[in-house]
Amino acid sequence: MAPQGGAPRLVLLFSGKRKSGKDFVTEALQSRLGADICAILRLSGPLKEQYAQEHGLDFQRLLDASTYKEAYRRDMIRWGEEKRRADPGFFCRKIVEGVSQPIWLVSDTRRVSDIQWFREAYGAAMQTVRVFASEQSRQQRGWVFTPALWGLTAGEEKAGPA
C-alpha cells in the first residue's frame, strides 16, 4: 500500500549487476533535474540500518564499499531475504516515508517483490530501468566475482529484475 501524502508523478526502479553504474546514472539524473524535483531512494539503506541495529554493527561502515561491509554481506543478504519473506514491502515502505519530490529514482532494485510492491503502490507512474556495463568496466570499478556469495560459478552472477 502506498504511503499517505502526495503521490509521485514518476517512479523509476533501477536494476543492474554490482558496479554496473546504477548510482552514477541516478546521481546524474538528479543533478540535471535538481534535488527539489528528484529524490534518489536506496533500498539498501534501511536494510543496512536495521541490520546494524539488530546486530550491534556500525551502520555508516556498512554504507561504504569497505571490507567491513563485505565481511557481513552474506549474512545481511540472508537476513534481508528473511525480512522480505515475512513482509515483502518492509524496506520499500521505509524508503518512501516523507519523500515529497515528484520524481523518485530507486537506485538499487534487486528483487521482483520490490517491483511488485511499487507497481501495486504507484501503478502507471512506475517504470523499470536496467543498467548494463561490460565485465571489464565493472572490474575497473572494483568488482570482483565472489562465487561463495551466491553459491554460483563464474558467469552465473545474479542478474536481478528488469
Side-chain angles (χ1 to χ4, degrees):
M1 184 62 125
Q4 296 295 328
R9 288 195 358 231
L10 178 64
V11 179
L12 297 178
L13 306 181
F14 289 81
S15 67
K17 293 182 178 183
R18 290 180 65 211
K19 301 291 185 180
S20 64
K22 298 178 299 291
D23 288 331
F24 176 83
V25 171
T26 55
E27 289 167 13
L29 284 169
Q30 185 187 50
S31 176
R32 289 188 180 200
L33 296 171
D36 57 328
I37 300 293
C38 178
I40 296 175
L41 310 177
R42 292 183 170 86
L43 286 161
S44 62
L47 185 150
K48 290 173 183 173
E49 183 174 24
Q50 190 75 28
Y51 181 81
Q53 287 175 359
E54 289 186 22
H55 293 85
L57 301 172
D58 184 337
F59 169 57
Q60 291 303 316
R61 291 186 68 197
L62 289 177
L63 290 175
D64 62 27
S66 66
T67 55
Y68 183 84
K69 177 178 76 176
E70 293 304 318
Y72 296 102
R73 181 181 292 279
R74 180 176 236 164
D75 189 58
M76 224 179 342
I77 290 168
R78 179 202 53 76
W79 176 87
E81 291 305 317
E82 287 175 8
K83 284 285 194 195
R84 282 184 177 91
R85 273 192 294 279
D87 178 0
F90 182 80
F91 299 113
C92 297
R93 282 191 307 278
K94 284 197 172 289
I95 67 167
V96 302
E97 288 174 359
V99 180
S100 60
Q101 294 92 328
I103 298 174
W104 300 355
L105 310 176
V106 181
S107 68
D108 57 352
T109 311
R110 294 184 177 93
R111 307 293 183 286
V112 172
S113 61
D114 297 333
I115 294 171
Q116 290 169 335
W117 186 88
F118 277 98
R119 184 172 288 130
E120 289 172 15
Y122 301 106
M126 189 228 59
Q127 298 292 319
T128 59
V129 179
R130 182 76 176 168
V131 179
F132 292 93
S134 70
E135 193 168 307
Q136 180 182 5
S137 293
R138 294 171 61 223
Q139 287 171 344
Q140 289 171 346
R141 296 172 187 156
W143 172 76
V144 176
F145 177 72
T146 49
L149 184 61
W150 299 100
L152 305 173
T153 60
E156 290 183 320
E157 182 190 3
K158 185 177 180 201

